[in-house]
Amino acid sequence: MVYQVRIPVFEGPMDLLLHLLDKNEVDIYDIPIALISSQYIEYLSMAEEIDLELTSEFLLMACTLLSIKARMLLPKRRPEGEEILEDDPRMELVQKIIEYKLYKDIAGDFRERELNQSKLFCREIDEAGLLKQFPPANPLGNVAIADLLAAYGKVLRKIERRREVMSIAREEITLQDKIDEIIYALAQNPGGLSFHKLFTGLTQRSEVIVTFLALLELSRRGLILLRQNKLFGDILIYFKDFKGGLESAHTVS
Amino acid sequence: MPTLFPKDFKSVIEALLFVSGEPLSAQQISGILDVDEQDVVVLLKEIKADCERENRGFFLLEIAGGFIFSTRAEHAEYIEKLIKPRLNTLSQAALETLAIISYHQPVTRSEIEEIRGVKCDSSLNTIMERGLIDEAGRKEAPGRPILYKTTSEFLKYMGLKSLDDLPKIKKDELQEAVNES
Amino acid sequence: MPTLFPKDFKSVIEALLFVSGEPLSAQQISGILDVDEQDVVVLLKEIKADCERENRGFFLLEIAGGFIFSTRAEHAEYIEKLIKPRLNTLSQAALETLAIISYHQPVTRSEIEEIRGVKCDSSLNTIMERGLIDEAGRKEAPGRPILYKTTSEFLKYMGLKSLDDLPKIKKDELQEAVNES
């Protein structure tokens, strides 16, 4: 039976987090981090299944949640029983969520204002008519060549900004793209793909994160094996059907 | 489906006259309100009388088969005081449009809009009305769009002998300008 | 040399409001009429009351630090038959970006992105091209990033008298609200 999956679309990771906190009716100062992070990651995989492209910031937040979860698992006491005054690892995130929620609410207020205001019409100044009625001595007024140049500069900057936005949009890499890319590279390197080489030449932080998450995902699905021949040595990546001396290797998958 | 009382129709007609930059005919108004044209004519007369009786800042002028609100001649000196400083300068939009035309002429409206990223009918009108630009024939392209160029008035008041005197923008200077400001 | 009676000043103020196209402050009007600002305020109140009492097609709106005549919301359906309704509304992303800028100005792009948790290039471009924000110099910090501020067009767009008219944020109320939800 085919059923349609409907999932809401979020503005960004903060928006998704807020939604999950609302849905679970949890106290923002005591976020059940394990629950929220698993629901968060569940959303990401649902989005992936229906080919909803998410920006790398969603993945970055997944990393943050998992890192907080890991820190929460660390023992709060030293073996001698001495108390450690450590900050709640969730605090920084909580502050950010509160601040984001504030502006999201104001954006809602702005939306209402925009709607109300769109029903009001004012008169446009009839500049052409007024020019006829009160012709200025100098049609350029006090405009000098420097003003013209400044205006042209502003136009050129606008073009530049539009171009930047377009190129950023083009360079955005999805998790699925990266997974495909790695699978292709694995096929090209049956003798093992260097973990180190996989990351060299990546300049964007987002791409590094996506690459790392792609490896985790492939490993979770049991498609690859990671092998490290010596401690702190390079890690080699293989397809799962690879059969060579695994027993002796220090696997990290 | 309008559910307004006749009294409110007068208010709507005032609103239409208020926002319209062009004269409105009784026929146009009757079409918008879905009201008999004769009723509109009566209401227009009432509006005209109201403006006079209350000595409002504007009156209803009937021209070329249409009605338009217009300010009174005796207020011209004050209106000039308000408007003069504004006419003495160009809006940012008009300035940008003029800058694009001066560096890209002859250029069509859609080419300018392509560069600015926004519509520019109104700023084209303004600088045309000021005599700073003029039409320069039509482009041999689909739709044969009008081309625009700057005028000799533009050069004169900019203090330029010819277009060659416009400050040169070199590729890298341009890039710097983009990076800096 | 004005030779008008006070009664006529009201008519002149109406005329100025009618032609302006931009909100006018009592101070501007007092400068043009050479009349005490307090008197102008009284006359503006009278004009406002006249518009209401007579249910005129427009009313006096206090916005962006001044006064402007505006049509009434309940007449919008008719006016939209004459004038194209305003452009598309802003996206959620653009509204959030605008909300952050309005409370933090002057603010850099990366400061906005820090709060929203996502890139803002595209929404910054949108609200910049619509004239709702402008550049406000550069921050004295590494990379000298561009600072952004809201414009008076923003106040008009949102129907605000001034930035003080923005919804108040109280830090503790806010935290309570978060706790509840």
Side-chain angles (χ1 to χ4, degrees), chain B residues 150-173:
Chain B
T150 55
T151 60
S152 56
E153 288 280 281
F154 166 77
L155 289 177
K156 182 179 146 197
Y157 287 102
M158 272 295 172
L160 301 170
K161 283 190 208 115
S162 76
L163 283 175
D164 296 334
D165 283 353
L166 267 177
K168 295 277 173 298
I169 298 186
K170 282 187 212 135
K171 209 42 184 164
D172 33 328
E173 274 180 21

Side-chain angles (χ1 to χ4, degrees), chain A residues 216-229:
Chain A
L216 286 181
E217 180 65 19
L218 285 167
S219 163
R220 192 181 65 84
R221 292 188 201 168
L223 294 171
I224 57 164
L225 283 174
L226 304 171
R227 179 180 164 187
Q228 193 174 32
N229 282 324

